[in-house]
Amino acid sequence: MRLLLRASFAVSLVLAASAVLSAGDTTYYVGHSEKFVNIQFESETDLETIIGSTNKATGEIHVDLDKGEGSVNLTVAVADLTTGIAMRDDHMRGDNWLQAAKFPDITFVSKKVKLDKDKGTAEVTGDFSMHGVAKEKSVTATWAAVSKERAEKAKFPAGDWIRIVVEFDVKLGDHGVDAGKGGGKVSDVWKLKMTLFACTSKPEKK
């Protein structure tokens, strides 16, 4: 399955001339609204292709361009994942699969982030946790600053914005989930993509 956080964990960075990331240690927040989060996941087998998504995530991204370092902490609720079929969603969240009641969140917490401000990339190593099992994963993210002019024209909330994109695979078996229970309709490997927009202002509390 493919988690498409369309402004993603690993990001594609193209800096516009008027869009420059702040120097020093800057914190960006994820989760201002659903339009700023796009996560997709995909499972493909000979019997069935399942494409799911969510537009909800929360977290923080720290960037220090002077040191070329940073950190990432993201959370996605299993209850917010959807595949477009209600019964299949219930199965996915249920006791035989992701067990949302017992393990409500999927998280990624970085251990090391190496930034390349010239290429707009980030080499990120951290723990990806799902179904109560954490596995270390290394991904390449791309990121781009959003110019103030474009952010204002699009009526983004006040603050400095960045766009982040990342793609990676998640193996269900690594997290104690048996894809064999799907009768050949569920792949052991989910393809994941995330695209995220993050801002220096905190999301408003609802």
Side-chain angles (χ1 to χ4, degrees), residues 21-36:
L21 294 187
S22 302
D25 191 358
T26 305
T27 300
Y28 297 86
Y29 299 91
V30 175
H32 289 74
S33 75
E34 293 184 6
K35 70 179 181 179
F36 297 123

Side-chain angles (χ1 to χ4, degrees), residues 7-197:
S8 300
F9 224 41
V11 187
S12 110
L13 163 89
V14 180
L15 289 177
S18 58
V20 180
L21 294 187
S22 302
D25 191 358
T26 305
T27 300
Y28 297 86
Y29 299 91
V30 175
H32 289 74
S33 75
E34 293 184 6
K35 70 179 181 179
F36 297 123
V37 174
N38 191 314
I39 300 173
Q40 290 187 351
F41 54 92
E42 179 179 331
S43 163
E44 185 172 5
T45 70
D46 292 339
L47 298 179
E48 187 171 347
T49 297
I50 300 170
I51 297 176
S53 65
T54 181
N55 295 105
K56 296 181 179 180
T58 58
E60 298 181 6
I61 299 170
H62 299 277
V63 176
D64 191 330
L65 287 184
D66 293 339
K67 295 181 178 180
E69 300 173 350
S71 65
V72 176
N73 188 326
L74 293 175
T75 299
V76 174
V78 175
D80 291 329
L81 302 179
T82 180
T83 66
I85 299 176
M87 182 177 292
R88 186 165 64 191
D89 292 346
D90 289 342
H91 290 166
M92 176 179 63
R93 302 165 188 155
D95 290 342
N96 287 329
W97 293 93
L98 299 185
Q99 296 182 271
K102 186 176 182 180
F103 308 110
D105 296 325
I106 296 171
T107 63
F108 186 93
V109 179
S110 65
K111 296 178 177 178
K112 181 179 180 181
V113 177
K114 183 179 180 180
L115 301 171
D116 188 324
K117 63 181 179 182
D118 295 323
K119 294 180 179 179
T121 59
E123 301 297 329
V124 183
T125 298
D127 285 335
F128 179 89
S129 299
M130 183 176 72
H131 195 242
V133 179
K135 288 291 183 180
E136 186 174 277
K137 186 170 291 293
S138 295
V139 301
T140 299
T142 57
W143 43 270
V146 179
S147 70
K148 290 186 178 296
E149 292 78 11
R150 297 184 69 180
E152 290 174 359
K153 187 175 181 179
K155 297 182 179 180
F156 283 16
D160 295 331
W161 286 84
I162 57 172
R163 178 179 181 271
I164 303 163
V165 179
V166 63
E167 296 185 54
F168 56 92
D169 293 344
V170 175
K171 188 173 182 180
L172 297 185
D174 286 345
H175 299 275
V177 180
D178 182 6
K181 294 178 180 179
K185 294 182 179 181
V186 179
S187 173
D188 185 45
V189 178
W190 296 12
K191 301 291 184 180
L192 166 66
K193 183 177 180 180
M194 300 188 297
T195 301
L196 307 172
F197 287 86

